[in-house]
Amino acid sequence: MTDDRYGGRWTSLAGAGREWLWRGTATGRDRVSPGDAFVDAGGLEECVPTVRGTPDHGAAWSRRWRSVGSGRAVVECPDFTLTRQLTERAGAVVARYRLLAAPGYRFVWAAHALLDLSPAARLLAPAGAPTRLYPEADEEVVDGTWAAGSRWHTAPWPISPGLPLDRFGPDDGTALGAILVGCLDVQVVDGADTLRLRLDCAGQPRSTALWRNLRGWPVPRPYRSIGVEPMLGAVFDLAEADPAGDDAAVVPAGGEVDWQLTISAHRSSGGDHR
């Protein structure tokens, strides 16, 4: 289910009679060292303390995780230690996390889950949730223009019909990133199958990030990859976090942050939900 030797990556997430995680074709993941360029092997990546920026996809993916038994694994990075425990409860996968760092340490974490979905799949999230669209979506924005010098464009979810972010197809050669700010519980519906992802964490900002790549990235050999990513924080790049706002998680005086990710799947007997 996970590969602790190479970044703690989740390699399988099965439920409702199917495998949900997409697998990439990139090679060389077994040879990376901290500071190397990201290798997109698919699965679910633990991105911390940033997603974009430096280091790209964070500091944990390029390091060996140490198994400590009972489904627990630990990764030690220069500024923090992260522990993850995986268990199954009532048919759901429950991932419990604990990050230890100096009080005041700021970070972003995302469960960078790349999903194997059909073009008919869609994302269910609270209507009207403030959604940050990133600059790569500039040409697709139909309800306004980018303000000069702005880091993102904000609009209410799902920003349709002009830009239906809740739909994952058909492939149209676009690729964009978005963050549903304050959204902690989403569902991915693909035909009769539903995957639910919920993030619980007291006292920290929670969001859901979206990577909607419909064969628009990378140039010159684009492929299809869909990321639905529960996250702590509200930015892809920690360097963009507002020092006075809720864009990043902050380690309190006790020196630790605990959170829980719950993922469940079910299949409806009624067929396609559309």
Side-chain angles (χ1 to χ4, degrees), residues 260-273:
Q260 177 175 297
L261 172 64
T262 304
I263 305 177
S264 58
H266 73 269
R267 174 166 291 174
S268 170
S269 60
D272 198 321
H273 293 195

PDB file of all heavy atoms in Angstrom, residues 260-273:
ATOM      1  N   GLN A 260      -5.885  14.090  10.914  1.00  0.00           N
ATOM      2  CA  GLN A 260      -6.374  12.791  10.459  1.00  0.00           C
ATOM      3  C   GLN A 260      -7.028  12.919   9.091  1.00  0.00           C
ATOM      4  O   GLN A 260      -7.846  13.813   8.853  1.00  0.00           O
ATOM      5  CB  GLN A 260      -7.376  12.224  11.460  1.00  0.00           C
ATOM      6  CG  GLN A 260      -8.014  10.892  11.036  1.00  0.00           C
ATOM      7  CD  GLN A 260      -8.908  10.315  12.107  1.00  0.00           C
ATOM      8  OE1 GLN A 260      -8.465   9.983  13.212  1.00  0.00           O
ATOM      9  NE2 GLN A 260     -10.200  10.204  11.812  1.00  0.00           N
ATOM     10  N   LEU A 261      -6.673  12.016   8.196  1.00  0.00           N
ATOM     11  CA  LEU A 261      -7.273  11.910   6.873  1.00  0.00           C
ATOM     12  C   LEU A 261      -8.045  10.598   6.802  1.00  0.00           C
ATOM     13  O   LEU A 261      -7.485   9.533   7.076  1.00  0.00           O
ATOM     14  CB  LEU A 261      -6.193  11.940   5.792  1.00  0.00           C
ATOM     15  CG  LEU A 261      -6.631  11.644   4.358  1.00  0.00           C
ATOM     16  CD1 LEU A 261      -7.594  12.709   3.854  1.00  0.00           C
ATOM     17  CD2 LEU A 261      -5.408  11.545   3.438  1.00  0.00           C
ATOM     18  N   THR A 262      -9.330  10.672   6.434  1.00  0.00           N
ATOM     19  CA  THR A 262     -10.166   9.485   6.312  1.00  0.00           C
ATOM     20  C   THR A 262     -10.631   9.359   4.867  1.00  0.00           C
ATOM     21  O   THR A 262     -11.201  10.299   4.307  1.00  0.00           O
ATOM     22  CB  THR A 262     -11.382   9.563   7.244  1.00  0.00           C
ATOM     23  OG1 THR A 262     -10.945   9.772   8.592  1.00  0.00           O
ATOM     24  CG2 THR A 262     -12.200   8.288   7.179  1.00  0.00           C
ATOM     25  N   ILE A 263     -10.373   8.195   4.267  1.00  0.00           N
ATOM     26  CA  ILE A 263     -10.740   7.946   2.878  1.00  0.00           C
ATOM     27  C   ILE A 263     -11.609   6.701   2.820  1.00  0.00           C
ATOM     28  O   ILE A 263     -11.226   5.638   3.318  1.00  0.00           O
ATOM     29  CB  ILE A 263      -9.493   7.751   1.989  1.00  0.00           C
ATOM     30  CG1 ILE A 263      -8.543   8.949   2.121  1.00  0.00           C
ATOM     31  CG2 ILE A 263      -9.905   7.561   0.536  1.00  0.00           C
ATOM     32  CD1 ILE A 263      -7.254   8.786   1.327  1.00  0.00           C
ATOM     33  N   SER A 264     -12.784   6.831   2.197  1.00  0.00           N
ATOM     34  CA  SER A 264     -13.690   5.691   2.069  1.00  0.00           C
ATOM     35  C   SER A 264     -14.247   5.645   0.653  1.00  0.00           C
ATOM     36  O   SER A 264     -14.284   6.653  -0.056  1.00  0.00           O
ATOM     37  CB  SER A 264     -14.835   5.785   3.086  1.00  0.00           C
ATOM     38  OG  SER A 264     -15.564   6.992   2.915  1.00  0.00           O
ATOM     39  N   ALA A 265     -14.686   4.460   0.235  1.00  0.00           N
ATOM     40  CA  ALA A 265     -15.223   4.272  -1.112  1.00  0.00           C
ATOM     41  C   ALA A 265     -16.457   3.394  -1.050  1.00  0.00           C
ATOM     42  O   ALA A 265     -16.558   2.507  -0.203  1.00  0.00           O
ATOM     43  CB  ALA A 265     -14.170   3.647  -2.030  1.00  0.00           C
ATOM     44  N   HIS A 266     -17.387   3.654  -1.946  1.00  0.00           N
ATOM     45  CA  HIS A 266     -18.533   2.750  -2.056  1.00  0.00           C
ATOM     46  C   HIS A 266     -19.030   2.733  -3.493  1.00  0.00           C
ATOM     47  O   HIS A 266     -18.771   3.652  -4.265  1.00  0.00           O
ATOM     48  CB  HIS A 266     -19.652   3.130  -1.086  1.00  0.00           C
ATOM     49  CG  HIS A 266     -20.414   4.364  -1.470  1.00  0.00           C
ATOM     50  ND1 HIS A 266     -20.065   5.626  -1.039  1.00  0.00           N
ATOM     51  CD2 HIS A 266     -21.519   4.533  -2.248  1.00  0.00           C
ATOM     52  CE1 HIS A 266     -20.915   6.512  -1.508  1.00  0.00           C
ATOM     53  NE2 HIS A 266     -21.812   5.877  -2.252  1.00  0.00           N
ATOM     54  N   ARG A 267     -19.733   1.677  -3.831  1.00  0.00           N
ATOM     55  CA  ARG A 267     -20.305   1.499  -5.163  1.00  0.00           C
ATOM     56  C   ARG A 267     -21.826   1.427  -5.049  1.00  0.00           C
ATOM     57  O   ARG A 267     -22.366   0.640  -4.274  1.00  0.00           O
ATOM     58  CB  ARG A 267     -19.760   0.238  -5.832  1.00  0.00           C
ATOM     59  CG  ARG A 267     -20.405  -0.106  -7.168  1.00  0.00           C
ATOM     60  CD  ARG A 267     -19.588  -1.146  -7.903  1.00  0.00           C
ATOM     61  NE  ARG A 267     -18.303  -0.586  -8.366  1.00  0.00           N
ATOM     62  CZ  ARG A 267     -17.346  -1.309  -8.928  1.00  0.00           C
ATOM     63  NH1 ARG A 267     -17.505  -2.627  -9.060  1.00  0.00           N
ATOM     64  NH2 ARG A 267     -16.234  -0.742  -9.336  1.00  0.00           N
ATOM     65  N   SER A 268     -22.503   2.256  -5.829  1.00  0.00           N
ATOM     66  CA  SER A 268     -23.954   2.289  -5.822  1.00  0.00           C
ATOM     67  C   SER A 268     -24.519   1.240  -6.759  1.00  0.00           C
ATOM     68  O   SER A 268     -23.971   0.986  -7.827  1.00  0.00           O
ATOM     69  CB  SER A 268     -24.445   3.683  -6.251  1.00  0.00           C
ATOM     70  OG  SER A 268     -25.835   3.684  -6.484  1.00  0.00           O
ATOM     71  N   SER A 269     -25.637   0.665  -6.377  1.00  0.00           N
ATOM     72  CA  SER A 269     -26.299  -0.309  -7.245  1.00  0.00           C
ATOM     73  C   SER A 269     -27.158   0.378  -8.292  1.00  0.00           C
ATOM     74  O   SER A 269     -27.683  -0.264  -9.195  1.00  0.00           O
ATOM     75  CB  SER A 269     -27.178  -1.244  -6.412  1.00  0.00           C
ATOM     76  OG  SER A 269     -28.172  -0.495  -5.712  1.00  0.00           O
ATOM     77  N   GLY A 270     -27.256   1.718  -8.181  1.00  0.00           N
ATOM     78  CA  GLY A 270     -28.113   2.452  -9.095  1.00  0.00           C
ATOM     79  C   GLY A 270     -27.446   2.910 -10.365  1.00  0.00           C
ATOM     80  O   GLY A 270     -28.053   3.595 -11.187  1.00  0.00           O
ATOM     81  N   GLY A 271     -26.142   2.595 -10.540  1.00  0.00           N
ATOM     82  CA  GLY A 271     -25.450   2.981 -11.775  1.00  0.00           C
ATOM     83  C   GLY A 271     -24.914   4.392 -11.699  1.00  0.00           C
ATOM     84  O   GLY A 271     -24.636   4.925 -10.625  1.00  0.00           O
ATOM     85  N   ASP A 272     -24.789   5.032 -12.850  1.00  0.00           N
ATOM     86  CA  ASP A 272     -24.171   6.344 -12.976  1.00  0.00           C
ATOM     87  C   ASP A 272     -24.950   7.398 -12.185  1.00  0.00           C
ATOM     88  O   ASP A 272     -26.168   7.491 -12.281  1.00  0.00           O
ATOM     89  CB  ASP A 272     -24.118   6.745 -14.463  1.00  0.00           C
ATOM     90  CG  ASP A 272     -23.131   7.859 -14.721  1.00  0.00           C
ATOM     91  OD1 ASP A 272     -23.060   8.769 -13.895  1.00  0.00           O
ATOM     92  OD2 ASP A 272     -22.445   7.802 -15.766  1.00  0.00           O
ATOM     93  N   HIS A 273     -24.213   8.232 -11.398  1.00  0.00           N
ATOM     94  CA  HIS A 273     -24.845   9.251 -10.553  1.00  0.00           C
ATOM     95  C   HIS A 273     -25.156  10.536 -11.304  1.00  0.00           C
ATOM     96  O   HIS A 273     -25.695  11.461 -10.722  1.00  0.00           O
ATOM     97  CB  HIS A 273     -23.926   9.598  -9.378  1.00  0.00           C
ATOM     98  CG  HIS A 273     -23.751   8.472  -8.415  1.00  0.00           C
ATOM     99  ND1 HIS A 273     -23.232   8.638  -7.169  1.00  0.00           N
ATOM    100  CD2 HIS A 273     -24.019   7.142  -8.523  1.00  0.00           C
ATOM    101  CE1 HIS A 273     -23.174   7.474  -6.527  1.00  0.00           C
ATOM    102  NE2 HIS A 273     -23.645   6.563  -7.344  1.00  0.00           N
TER     103      HIS A 273
END
